[in-house]
């Protein structure tokens, strides 16, 4: 039930932003179907619909010097998926500390106390548009539909796998730039 409520909240935000017209009624119908559907059997029932499997293949990579306050290190970001699903896009990536200490804790958020990756964005160079991470509501209490990073201070050789969800660019856009605070911009990342 919790997952359904969280998805309903995300659909309301996307609907409120003009991304998913009528999303509330579809989500309510899906919730009703999910709560009233009989339990699936393992014999001849079709498998449930789920997100596509995650890629392990790196589709874009970048290395950067990172740090502040006297602590400097190097990090590598490897994007492993940028997948379109309906009117949303999910970005998956891994940050690996390659030298020194890397602050993922609050290095990708929108401010000092934002322990998420909410400041990562997609840039559509064709339509000159920036896509920010989706939020699960409006107002100051809305949280991003993305990874939390609290307590992530990576030592050399350690890695963190992260994700963020965005509104999808138009179907004709097949490549975007991915902007990550402290790590820079990865250009021409293929969107599948």
């Amino acid at each position: 039930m919790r997952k359904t409520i969280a998805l309903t909240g995300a659909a309301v935000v996307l609907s409120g932003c003009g991304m998913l017209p009528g999303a509330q009624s579809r989500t309510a119908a899906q919730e009703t179907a999910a709560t009233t559907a009989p339990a699936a059997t393992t014999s001849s029932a079709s498998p449930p619909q789920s997100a596509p499997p995650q890629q392990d293949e790196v589709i874009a990579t970048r290395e950067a010097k990172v740090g502040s306050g006297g602590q400097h290190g190097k990090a590598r970001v490897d994007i492993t998926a940028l997948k379109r699903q309906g009117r949303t896009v999910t970005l998956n990536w891994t940050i690996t500390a390659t030298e020194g200490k890397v602050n993922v804790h609050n290095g990708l958020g929108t401010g000092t106390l934002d322990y998420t990756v909410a400041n990562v964005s997609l840039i559509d160079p064709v339509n000159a548009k920036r896509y920010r991470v989706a939020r699960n509501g409006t107002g100051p209490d809305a949280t991003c539909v993305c990874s939390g990073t609290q307590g992530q201070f990576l030592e050399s050789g350690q890695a963190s796998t992260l994700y963020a969800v965005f509104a999808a660019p138009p179907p004709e856009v097949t490549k975007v730039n991915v902007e990550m605070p402290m790590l820079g911009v990865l250009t021409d990342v293929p969107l599948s």
Side-chain angles (χ1 to χ4, degrees), residues 47-58:
Q49 293 288 333
S50 64
Q54 301 302 315
Q55 288 180 225
D56 291 329
E57 177 185 325
V58 174

Side-chain angles (χ1 to χ4, degrees), residues 79-96:
I79 295 178
T80 55
L82 185 58
K83 292 225 178 253
R84 187 185 308 264
Q85 280 188 290
R87 296 183 67 179
T88 63
V89 168
T90 301
L91 172 68
N92 294 303
W93 73 97
T94 301
I95 296 175
T96 305

Side-chain angles (χ1 to χ4, degrees), residues 10 18 22 29 38 44 53 60 62 66 92 103 120 123 139 152 158 165 186 192:
S44 63
R62 176 173 174 40
V66 297
N92 294 303
N103 174 8
V120 171
I123 300 170
Q152 292 190 29
Q158 293 181 323
V165 176
L186 290 90
S192 60

Side-chain angles (χ1 to χ4, degrees), residues 3 12 16 26 33 38 43 79 81-82 85 102 137 141 155 160 164 176 184:
K3 290 180 183 178
V12 170
R26 281 196 300 263
S43 58
I79 295 178
L82 185 58
Q85 280 188 290
V102 176
D141 294 333
E155 298 288 344
S160 178
V176 295

